[in-house]
Amino acid sequence: MRAKAAARTRLRSDDFGGICYVSRRDDFFALDKPVFRIVAGLKDEWTQVAPEWESTYVALAKLGICETDPPTAELSYALPSFVGQFEEIPSITEPLVVNCFSTAHCPLKCQYCHADDLMISFRSTEPETLDTTDLDNVIATTSMFPAMVAVITGGDPLTRPHRAAHLISKLARQKSLVLDTSGVGDLDSLLPLLKEHAVHVRVSWDAVGQVNDILRPINTTYVKHEKSSGANAARTIQRCLDEGLAVTVQTVISRVNQHAHILSQLRTTLGSMGVRNWVLHIAVEGGLARRREQAARKKGGRARGILPGGTKLQETLLRLFKDNEESKHKLDIRCTDTNSTPNSVILVDSRGDLYTEGYAHNGKVLLFEAGKAQPDQVRAKWMHIDRFGHATRYLNWNRWLHGGKNLRDLCYSVPLPRELPETTPAIVETEAKYRVPNAEALMSRLSECGFVRTRRKTQRDEYYDTSDRSLAELDYVVRLRIEDEAVIWAFKGPRFFTSDRDYSRLEFELPAVEADVRKELSRRGLSRTWVLEKRRLEFTKPASQIVVALDEIPTLGHFAEIEGPLLSVRQMANDLGPTLGEKERRNYKELIIAHKRQLGIDPLQVEGAYFSD
């Protein structure tokens, strides 16, 4: 037998062992230390397996974690996703999933919408054309969270597919992606991108027939010629399957569709269509569902509420799982219930702000505002998320659903014939860049404001990237600056833009030995992609945190960069008044490329900007 790592899986180590994400199934698996070491040792090419290890790799292949030759059929799995031996739910070190809102608009008016309170106020301010300012903040916030998976959601991405396409093209380089949709909207324009990046498509469908349309009615503000959301969901599911995309169907279980015959009919229909992955979400008291529940209580009961009720839900679901095991078309089933741990889901709204559901109050909790120029605080917000709740949501653990059984009795067993051997300071750079029509006038005004010139220098900035330019695509910067006799290595994170087009980002700078750092960059697969020469004058003021740099850029002229705390940067720009020209969001490379393009020069032929040109 031979074995190799399965395509499009992601692996991440943790204190308990690690996490494996199988993109094709949209499934996370927690692996204990012995199993994780086996999986981490898998190679991308076929490797011969010793006879005593064959059963180990067959067990892993049944979950889609690896492939074997001869092939092993995958198992439809509906139990908790813990592989090996676990006594308790582990506390994961890093998040598994971050949900990114591509748009606040939605073609449906779902009775239980969990995100309605996060979207409704943004709809009037969201531009119809592709203005990437907010979307770039979404990308930046998402990039700062080292989640393994990003879910492109909303609203509905198919309502504004151009916005979803921008997120997909940028985020696919760093995370596995899931597109979360009702199936209503423009799928065709996204299909090439979905196939290119193997995006897993998750379609919402709550029931076969009229029940779905009652729960998820069409919003005629967006859709004029469609009447059935269920028919659109079914059509999108089949289209994605026909195009070879991995598909999951998600169903929200509410008071309306919690009945055994409704869920059983949907399960049978999905199996016959060729769907293999089904996620059941127990409706939670959040967003629009909370308002409906509160209204029902005021009327003296829950007869008109939306949340599932009664004592039979557990019995219904267990019977559903049993029927699934006996079915010809078995489904991989996961069930989530976050009513007990509402603050376990990470939400990035369509402007880049970070939220979770409140634990001690009703509604969403704002954790981070992208436009406040404090990107160093994004990672710190992970402490506000319930890590146990986050893990149980995506690792399919529901104590109430398993009749009080211990987790150790529900783990997926992997036979092991023998044990494997055990195998700096950050700063926030906030910057505003302006064109300078008259350098002398600017220097005179700086002098009036008490600033003095502290440095005059010539800089040569060399930028490095991977062969496919993935760092630039995600707005990361790796730079080698040669400044007189000094060599400085720098790494910059993605930019966060404020409403006034200022931006902030994390920046690390360290002195380096030129020969050594070039060798190390090459060893890590980075090569020089761009060179920028500039002449810089720096101005500072005693007891001020502001630094003003006056840059002369080849072919473009003079620019001023103001760096410091956000409010101080804005005040400084106000003080400099008319000596500053147009404010620029673009970096120097982007400005030079735009200038060359205007001159009819192919940007691909431009390797840098030099004063000798």
Side-chain angles (χ1 to χ4, degrees):
M1 173 184 286
R2 299 186 302 169
K4 68 176 181 178
R8 297 198 177 270
T9 57
R10 286 184 180 265
L11 197 64
R12 187 174 70 197
S13 63
D14 212 318
D15 296 339
F16 55 87
I19 296 287
C20 182
Y21 175 70
V22 182
S23 176
R24 185 178 62 260
R25 301 168 66 115
D26 190 25
D27 271 348
F28 289 94
F29 294 100
L31 314 178
D32 70 6
K33 289 183 178 180
V35 175
F36 182 81
R37 288 197 297 274
I38 295 168
V39 176
L42 287 165
K43 301 182 183 301
D44 292 332
E45 63 273 4
W46 289 110
T47 303
Q48 194 66 36
V49 174
E52 66 269 24
W53 284 95
E54 290 185 358
S55 60
T56 302
Y57 290 101
V58 166
L60 294 171
K62 287 180 178 180
L63 298 180
I65 294 174
C66 74
E67 297 178 24
T68 62
D69 179 30
T72 299
E74 288 190 25
L75 178 72
S76 295
Y77 196 67
L79 289 172
S81 299
F82 295 83
V83 182
Q85 297 181 3
F86 288 87
E87 292 286 336
E88 190 50 82
I89 306 295
S91 177
I92 55 177
T93 304
E94 301 287 3
L96 303 177
V97 175
V98 57
N99 295 276
C100 313
F101 284 53
S102 62
T103 176
H105 293 272
C106 185
L108 303 186
K109 297 189 291 185
C110 301
Q111 293 190 29
Y112 48 73
C113 181
H114 183 257
D116 184 71
D117 55 346
L118 197 59
M119 299 186 298
I120 192 168
S121 62
F122 302 155
R123 289 171 184 156
S124 61
T125 60
E126 183 179 300
E128 291 189 21
T129 56
L130 183 57
D131 179 352
T132 64
T133 301
D134 286 344
L135 291 177
D136 286 345
N137 278 345
V138 175
I139 293 165
T141 302
T142 303
S143 298
M144 295 293 286
F145 260 96
M148 301 172 77
V149 175
V151 178
I152 311 298
T153 183
D156 195 311
L158 299 190
T159 305
R160 299 277 174 90
H162 56 287
R163 292 174 64 88
H166 186 71
L167 293 186
I168 291 170
S169 62
K170 299 292 185 179
L171 292 174
R173 295 179 180 272
Q174 55 169 293
K175 303 181 191 302
S176 295
L177 298 183
V178 174
L179 184 80
D180 194 0
T181 177
S182 65
V184 181
D186 181 9
L187 174 67
D188 288 348
S189 63
L190 278 179
L191 269 177
L193 203 60
L194 297 176
K195 294 167 71 172
E196 177 185 352
H197 297 294
V199 178
H200 192 109
V201 180
R202 189 187 297 162
V203 184
S204 295
W205 196 10
D206 287 351
V208 177
Q210 188 177 8
V211 171
N212 186 86
D213 298 335
I214 293 172
L215 286 166
R216 304 170 58 78
I218 290 284
N219 186 342
T220 54
T221 302
Y222 297 94
V223 184
K224 303 296 184 182
H225 306 294
E226 297 283 356
K227 295 182 179 179
S228 171
S229 60
N232 277 268
R235 184 163 55 245
T236 296
I237 292 165
Q238 195 60 62
R239 179 75 185 283
C240 289
L241 290 171
D242 292 344
E243 293 290 337
L245 291 168
V247 175
T248 288
V249 171
Q250 62 181 1
T251 298
V252 176
I253 299 179
S254 64
R255 179 186 62 83
V256 180
N257 68 336
Q258 66 179 347
H259 308 292
H261 68 282
I262 294 177
L263 295 174
S264 179
Q265 183 186 21
L266 180 56
R267 183 195 63 77
T268 302
T269 301
L270 296 179
S272 63
M273 291 177 68
V275 174
R276 292 293 173 262
N277 309 289
W278 194 21
V279 178
L280 306 175
H281 299 295
I282 310 300
V284 298
E285 192 166 342
L288 190 57
R290 175 176 289 117
R291 295 202 295 271
R292 292 188 180 278
E293 289 298 304
Q294 291 172 344
R297 292 185 191 115
K298 288 181 180 179
K299 293 181 180 180
R302 289 186 50 197
R304 295 173 60 83
I306 193 66
L307 300 187
T311 60
K312 292 187 176 181
L313 181 57
Q314 178 189 17
E315 179 182 332
T316 297
L317 291 179
L318 290 175
R319 178 57 186 270
L320 191 69
F321 296 157
K322 185 175 185 298
D323 290 347
N324 181 62
E325 284 303 307
E326 298 173 353
S327 171
K328 177 182 177 182
H329 302 295
K330 297 180 176 63
L331 303 181
D332 186 27
I333 303 178
R334 179 162 60 88
C335 183
T336 72
D337 176 12
T338 55
N339 265 322
S340 58
T341 56
N343 59 325
S344 61
V345 180
I346 302 171
L347 305 169
V348 180
D349 74 13
S350 54
R351 302 179 304 181
D353 298 340
L354 182 70
Y355 290 84
T356 191
E357 186 72 22
Y359 189 84
H361 84 285
N362 293 333
K364 304 293 188 295
V365 178
L366 175 61
L367 301 179
F368 167 79
E369 291 185 74
K372 286 294 183 67
Q374 295 175 318
D376 56 323
Q377 296 185 10
V378 182
R379 286 290 293 114
K381 301 308 179 181
W382 174 228
M383 66 178 292
H384 295 279
I385 306 297
D386 185 327
R387 299 190 184 197
F388 287 99
H390 190 78
T392 58
R393 175 177 178 84
Y394 299 108
L395 294 172
N396 205 23
W397 171 255
N398 294 280
R399 187 177 182 86
W400 62 269
L401 189 55
H402 297 294
K405 293 181 180 179
N406 287 323
L407 175 60
R408 66 172 178 268
D409 300 322
L410 297 168
C411 291
Y412 181 84
S413 179
V414 175
L416 299 174
R418 57 183 173 83
E419 184 60 77
L420 287 178
E422 293 287 347
T423 46
T424 348
I427 63 169
V428 176
E429 175 198 61
T430 301
E431 176 180 296
K433 182 190 279 96
Y434 296 83
R435 293 180 180 270
V436 176
N438 188 318
E440 294 296 328
L442 175 64
M443 288 189 285
S444 176
R445 179 58 184 152
L446 283 168
S447 178
E448 292 174 4
C449 293
F451 280 75
V452 296
R453 195 182 80 191
T454 56
R455 301 185 70 184
R456 180 188 185 99
K457 51 196 176 185
T458 299
Q459 296 176 338
R460 175 186 169 93
D461 291 341
E462 298 181 359
Y463 295 87
Y464 289 77
D465 208 337
T466 59
S467 59
D468 62 354
R469 305 298 191 267
S470 60
L471 293 179
E473 283 290 322
L474 296 170
D475 201 25
Y476 285 92
V477 173
V478 174
R479 184 193 68 205
L480 192 63
R481 170 167 289 172
I482 302 170
E483 185 178 288
D484 299 327
E485 299 299 324
V487 177
I488 302 170
W489 173 86
F491 174 81
K492 298 184 181 186
R495 289 169 288 183
F496 289 79
F497 293 94
T498 69
S499 57
D500 292 332
R501 294 194 295 178
D502 308 304
Y503 71 81
S504 57
R505 70 197 314 174
L506 292 181
E507 177 176 325
F508 304 80
E509 286 192 344
L510 293 171
V513 177
E514 184 173 355
D516 291 346
V517 73
R518 289 185 189 280
K519 181 178 179 181
E520 183 62 20
L521 290 170
S522 177
R523 190 180 73 82
R524 295 183 177 273
L526 301 176
S527 58
R528 191 176 69 194
T529 58
W530 179 262
V531 176
L532 172 66
E533 292 182 351
K534 64 175 180 281
R535 298 176 182 136
R536 168 167 285 194
L537 298 177
E538 284 187 355
F539 299 83
T540 60
K541 179 180 179 180
S544 173
Q545 295 177 279
I546 289 293
V547 175
V548 179
L550 177 61
D551 290 335
E552 182 183 0
I553 306 300
T555 73
L556 296 182
H558 289 89
F559 292 79
E561 291 188 346
I562 308 173
E563 296 182 9
L566 177 62
L567 295 181
S568 299
V569 167
R570 289 176 174 172
Q571 183 59 50
M572 188 71 241
N574 186 62
D575 291 342
L576 294 177
T579 63
L580 297 178
E582 180 185 357
K583 193 172 189 178
E584 273 294 351
R585 175 184 172 184
R586 294 171 291 180
N587 60 36
Y588 288 136
K589 178 181 178 181
E590 291 166 342
L591 288 166
I592 291 168
I593 290 294
H595 177 70
K596 296 293 186 181
R597 186 178 282 115
Q598 288 178 348
L599 297 176
I601 300 173
D602 183 358
L604 295 177
Q605 305 303 315
V606 181
E607 298 179 353
Y610 307 84
F611 284 107
S612 58
D613 289 350

